[in-house]
Amino acid sequence: MSDKEIKNNNTTTKYKIPFVKFMPIAAVISSILFIASICIFAQKIKSGNFNLSIDFAGGVELNVKIDNPQVINIAEIRALYSNFGEETINIQELEGEENINSFLLRFRGSNEESDRAMKVLYDNYGEDKVSLIGSSIISGVVSADNLKLAFILIVIAWIIIMIYIAIRFNHRYALPAIITLIHNVVIVFGIITFLNKEFSILVLSSILTLIGYTINDIIVVFDRIRENFDSHKPFKEIVNSSLNNVVGRTVMTSVSTLLAAGSIMIWGGSILYDFAFTFFCGVVIGTYASNFIASGLLILFMKGKKD
């Protein structure tokens, strides 16, 4: 065994990264990011500038079909609405042979904006060539209910994960895990709010996916800590060696996930961009938090404990 290798119970690792040494610095950084995220979020809510999609803010959805001999590229439709005004229009291309040149336009607004949106197509393709297949208006009441449901789903996910961790390990492991998850979600919310990204169903899906991804990372770390536990050794030493045991796996998993998310951001189109961007940020924060925040909290909660 080389002088770079250390032995932890029955597990050998070639890394000697002083994770525990950097945990106080990580705690300060996380505290600043956490407080800043809450302040940004509160300011946006207070000013009424929080960027909600029509699923959560209410709006209009138009299903249109254009009678054209050639297939119309969705980029062409998006270019038509680039100067539509303050309202951001979300445009999706419907799939299937029967839906050739069929598009779904979604935006915040009223019937007046619907008429304006349709006029753009009429002016470019001719009124006789554009058909309005269907339209729907999502009311403020329905969108408010959707927003409440979104936050309820996140809280339910936290509770279920907390119960799972408590059963699999013990309650002292559960609290650091749930605090880390809250830390991750709040900071990701802070980033997308600061950048004025639209909070949509896709972004919510990304956050729920992120919660599952992060807890998997935390479980891997906690499982190794429990595996390496030795009542005759300082707990900080056990945590540090355990983190070194799994750092290779953590880096490989995170890099491969970031490459996948980055690919979607680049080639997935504007519809999936916010989903991939949210997940990308969440993976970076989650990887950092699993190693420094969750483990640091566990050290704090396990002080003087022998199990």
Side-chain angles (χ1 to χ4, degrees), residues 61-98:
E61 182 176 274
L62 303 176
N63 185 348
V64 298
K65 186 175 179 65
I66 303 170
D67 183 13
N68 199 64
Q70 295 181 333
V71 176
I72 300 172
N73 193 300
I74 191 171
E76 181 180 327
I77 301 297
R78 286 178 180 145
L80 295 177
Y81 290 99
S82 60
N83 298 315
F84 188 67
E86 293 183 1
E87 299 297 336
T88 301
I89 294 189
N90 185 299
I91 304 172
Q92 291 177 261
E93 188 174 13
L94 300 179
E95 297 180 352
E97 290 185 8
E98 71 280 3

Coordinates of all heavy atoms in Angstrom, one line a residue, residues 61-98:
E61 N -54.2 29.7 -22.9 CA -53.6 28.6 -23.7 C -54.3 28.5 -25.0 O -55.6 28.4 -25.0 CB -53.6 27.3 -22.9 CG -53.0 26.2 -23.7 CD -53.0 24.9 -22.9 OE1 -52.0 24.7 -22.1 OE2 -53.9 24.1 -23.0
L62 N -53.6 28.7 -26.1 CA -54.2 28.6 -27.5 C -53.6 27.4 -28.2 O -52.4 27.3 -28.3 CB -53.9 29.9 -28.2 CG -54.4 31.2 -27.6 CD1 -54.0 32.4 -28.5 CD2 -55.9 31.2 -27.4
N63 N -54.5 26.6 -28.8 CA -54.1 25.5 -29.7 C -54.4 25.9 -31.1 O -55.6 26.1 -31.5 CB -54.9 24.3 -29.3 CG -54.4 23.0 -30.1 OD1 -53.7 23.2 -31.1 ND2 -54.9 21.9 -29.7
V64 N -53.3 26.2 -31.9 CA -53.5 26.7 -33.3 C -52.9 25.7 -34.3 O -52.0 25.0 -34.0 CB -52.9 28.1 -33.5 CG1 -53.5 29.1 -32.5 CG2 -51.4 28.0 -33.2
K65 N -53.5 25.7 -35.5 CA -53.0 24.9 -36.6 C -52.9 25.8 -37.8 O -53.8 26.6 -38.2 CB -54.0 23.8 -36.9 CG -53.5 22.8 -38.0 CD -54.4 21.6 -38.1 CE -53.9 20.6 -39.2 NZ -52.6 20.0 -38.8
I66 N -51.8 25.7 -38.5 CA -51.5 26.5 -39.7 C -51.5 25.7 -40.9 O -50.8 24.7 -41.0 CB -50.2 27.3 -39.6 CG1 -50.1 28.1 -38.3 CG2 -49.9 28.1 -40.8 CD1 -48.8 28.7 -37.9
D67 N -52.4 26.0 -41.9 CA -52.5 25.3 -43.2 C -51.4 25.8 -44.1 O -51.5 26.9 -44.7 CB -53.8 25.5 -43.8 CG -54.0 24.7 -45.1 OD1 -53.2 23.8 -45.3 OD2 -55.0 25.0 -45.8
N68 N -50.3 25.0 -44.2 CA -49.1 25.4 -45.0 C -48.6 24.2 -45.7 O -48.5 23.1 -45.1 CB -48.1 26.0 -44.0 CG -47.0 26.9 -44.8 OD1 -47.4 27.9 -45.4 ND2 -45.8 26.4 -44.8
P69 N -48.2 24.4 -47.0 CA -47.7 23.2 -47.7 C -46.4 22.6 -47.2 O -46.1 21.5 -47.3 CB -47.5 23.7 -49.2 CG -47.4 25.2 -49.0 CD -48.3 25.5 -47.8
Q70 N -45.6 23.5 -46.5 CA -44.3 23.1 -46.0 C -44.4 23.0 -44.4 O -45.2 23.7 -43.8 CB -43.2 24.0 -46.4 CG -42.9 24.0 -47.9 CD -41.8 25.0 -48.2 OE1 -41.6 25.9 -47.5 NE2 -41.1 24.6 -49.3
V71 N -43.6 22.2 -43.8 CA -43.6 22.0 -42.4 C -42.9 23.3 -41.8 O -41.8 23.7 -42.3 CB -42.8 20.8 -41.9 CG1 -42.6 20.8 -40.4 CG2 -43.4 19.5 -42.5
I72 N -43.6 23.9 -40.9 CA -43.1 25.2 -40.3 C -42.2 24.8 -39.1 O -42.7 24.1 -38.2 CB -44.3 26.1 -39.8 CG1 -45.1 26.4 -41.1 CG2 -43.7 27.3 -39.2 CD1 -46.4 27.2 -40.7
N73 N -41.0 25.3 -39.0 CA -40.1 25.1 -37.9 C -40.6 25.9 -36.7 O -41.0 27.1 -36.9 CB -38.7 25.5 -38.3 CG -37.7 25.0 -37.3 OD1 -37.7 25.4 -36.1 ND2 -36.7 24.2 -37.7
I74 N -40.5 25.4 -35.5 CA -41.0 26.1 -34.3 C -40.2 27.3 -34.1 O -40.7 28.3 -33.5 CB -41.0 25.1 -33.1 CG1 -41.7 25.8 -31.9 CG2 -39.5 24.7 -32.7 CD1 -41.9 24.9 -30.7
A75 N -38.9 27.3 -34.5 CA -38.1 28.5 -34.4 C -38.6 29.7 -35.1 O -38.5 30.9 -34.7 CB -36.6 28.2 -34.8
E76 N -39.3 29.4 -36.2 CA -39.9 30.5 -37.0 C -41.1 31.1 -36.3 O -41.3 32.3 -36.3 CB -40.4 29.9 -38.4 CG -41.0 30.9 -39.3 CD -41.5 30.2 -40.6 OE1 -40.9 29.2 -41.0 OE2 -42.6 30.7 -41.1
I77 N -41.9 30.3 -35.6 CA -43.0 30.8 -34.8 C -42.5 31.6 -33.6 O -43.0 32.7 -33.3 CB -43.9 29.6 -34.3 CG1 -44.4 28.8 -35.5 CG2 -45.0 30.1 -33.5 CD1 -45.3 29.5 -36.4
R78 N -41.4 31.1 -33.0 CA -40.9 31.8 -31.8 C -40.4 33.2 -32.2 O -40.5 34.2 -31.5 CB -39.8 31.0 -31.1 CG -40.4 29.8 -30.3 CD -39.3 29.0 -29.7 NE -39.9 27.9 -28.9 CZ -39.4 26.7 -28.8 NH1 -38.2 26.4 -29.4 NH2 -40.0 25.7 -28.1
A79 N -39.8 33.2 -33.4 CA -39.2 34.5 -33.9 C -40.3 35.5 -34.1 O -40.1 36.7 -33.9 CB -38.4 34.3 -35.2
L80 N -41.5 35.1 -34.5 CA -42.6 36.0 -34.8 C -43.0 36.7 -33.5 O -43.5 37.8 -33.5 CB -43.8 35.2 -35.3 CG -43.7 34.6 -36.7 CD1 -44.9 33.8 -37.1 CD2 -43.4 35.6 -37.8
Y81 N -42.9 36.0 -32.3 CA -43.3 36.6 -31.1 C -42.2 37.2 -30.2 O -42.3 37.5 -29.1 CB -44.0 35.5 -30.2 CG -45.3 35.1 -30.8 CD1 -45.5 33.9 -31.6 CD2 -46.5 35.8 -30.6 CE1 -46.7 33.6 -32.2 CE2 -47.7 35.5 -31.2 CZ -47.8 34.3 -32.0 OH -49.0 34.0 -32.5
S82 N -41.0 37.3 -30.9 CA -39.8 37.8 -30.1 C -40.1 39.3 -29.7 O -39.5 39.7 -28.7 CB -38.6 37.7 -31.0 OG -38.7 38.5 -32.2
N83 N -40.9 40.0 -30.4 CA -41.2 41.4 -30.0 C -42.6 41.6 -29.7 O -43.2 42.6 -29.9 CB -40.8 42.3 -31.2 CG -39.4 42.3 -31.6 OD1 -38.5 42.3 -30.7 ND2 -39.1 42.2 -32.9
F84 N -43.2 40.6 -29.0 CA -44.6 40.6 -28.7 C -44.9 41.6 -27.6 O -46.1 42.1 -27.5 CB -45.1 39.2 -28.3 CG -46.6 39.1 -28.1 CD1 -47.4 39.1 -29.2 CD2 -47.1 38.9 -26.8 CE1 -48.8 39.0 -29.0 CE2 -48.5 38.7 -26.7 CZ -49.3 38.8 -27.8
G85 N -44.0 41.9 -26.8 CA -44.2 42.9 -25.7 C -43.7 42.3 -24.4 O -42.8 41.5 -24.4
E86 N -44.3 42.7 -23.3 CA -43.8 42.3 -22.0 C -44.2 40.9 -21.7 O -43.5 40.2 -20.9 CB -44.4 43.2 -20.9 CG -43.9 44.6 -20.9 CD -44.5 45.5 -19.8 OE1 -45.2 44.9 -19.0 OE2 -44.1 46.7 -19.7
E87 N -45.3 40.4 -22.3 CA -45.7 39.0 -22.1 C -44.8 38.0 -22.7 O -44.5 38.1 -23.9 CB -47.1 38.8 -22.6 CG -48.2 39.7 -21.9 CD -48.3 39.4 -20.4 OE1 -48.0 38.3 -20.0 OE2 -48.7 40.4 -19.7
T88 N -44.3 37.0 -22.0 CA -43.5 35.9 -22.5 C -44.4 34.8 -23.0 O -45.2 34.3 -22.2 CB -42.5 35.4 -21.5 OG1 -41.7 36.5 -21.0 CG2 -41.6 34.3 -22.0
I89 N -44.2 34.4 -24.3 CA -45.1 33.4 -24.8 C -44.3 32.0 -24.8 O -43.2 32.0 -25.4 CB -45.6 33.7 -26.2 CG1 -46.5 34.9 -26.1 CG2 -46.3 32.5 -26.8 CD1 -47.3 35.2 -27.4
N90 N -44.9 31.0 -24.2 CA -44.3 29.7 -24.2 C -44.9 29.0 -25.4 O -46.1 28.8 -25.5 CB -44.6 29.0 -22.9 CG -43.9 27.7 -22.8 OD1 -44.2 26.8 -23.6 ND2 -43.1 27.5 -21.8
I91 N -44.1 28.5 -26.3 CA -44.6 27.9 -27.6 C -44.1 26.4 -27.6 O -42.9 26.2 -27.5 CB -44.1 28.6 -28.8 CG1 -44.6 30.1 -28.7 CG2 -44.7 28.0 -30.1 CD1 -44.0 31.0 -29.8
Q92 N -45.1 25.5 -27.8 CA -44.8 24.1 -28.0 C -45.3 23.6 -29.3 O -46.4 24.0 -29.7 CB -45.4 23.3 -26.8 CG -44.7 23.5 -25.5 CD -45.4 22.8 -24.4 OE1 -46.3 23.3 -23.7 NE2 -45.1 21.5 -24.3
E93 N -44.5 22.7 -29.9 CA -45.0 22.0 -31.1 C -45.6 20.7 -30.8 O -45.1 19.9 -30.1 CB -43.8 21.8 -32.0 CG -44.1 21.3 -33.4 CD -42.9 21.2 -34.3 OE1 -41.8 21.3 -33.8 OE2 -43.1 21.1 -35.5
L94 N -46.9 20.5 -31.3 CA -47.6 19.3 -31.0 C -47.1 18.2 -31.9 O -46.8 18.4 -33.1 CB -49.1 19.5 -31.2 CG -49.8 20.6 -30.3 CD1 -51.2 20.7 -30.6 CD2 -49.6 20.3 -28.8
E95 N -47.0 17.0 -31.3 CA -46.4 15.8 -32.1 C -47.5 15.0 -32.7 O -48.7 15.1 -32.4 CB -45.6 15.0 -31.1 CG -44.4 15.7 -30.5 CD -43.6 14.8 -29.6 OE1 -44.1 13.7 -29.3 OE2 -42.5 15.2 -29.2
G96 N -47.1 14.2 -33.7 CA -48.1 13.3 -34.4 C -48.3 13.8 -35.8 O -48.3 15.0 -36.1
E97 N -48.6 12.9 -36.7 CA -48.8 13.2 -38.1 C -50.1 14.1 -38.2 O -50.1 15.0 -39.1 CB -49.0 12.0 -38.9 CG -47.8 11.2 -39.1 CD -48.0 10.0 -40.1 OE1 -49.1 9.9 -40.7 OE2 -47.0 9.2 -40.2
E98 N -51.1 13.9 -37.4 CA -52.3 14.7 -37.5 C -52.1 16.1 -36.9 O -52.9 17.0 -37.1 CB -53.4 14.0 -36.7 CG -53.3 14.0 -35.2 CD -52.4 13.0 -34.7 OE1 -51.8 12.3 -35.5 OE2 -52.3 12.9 -33.4

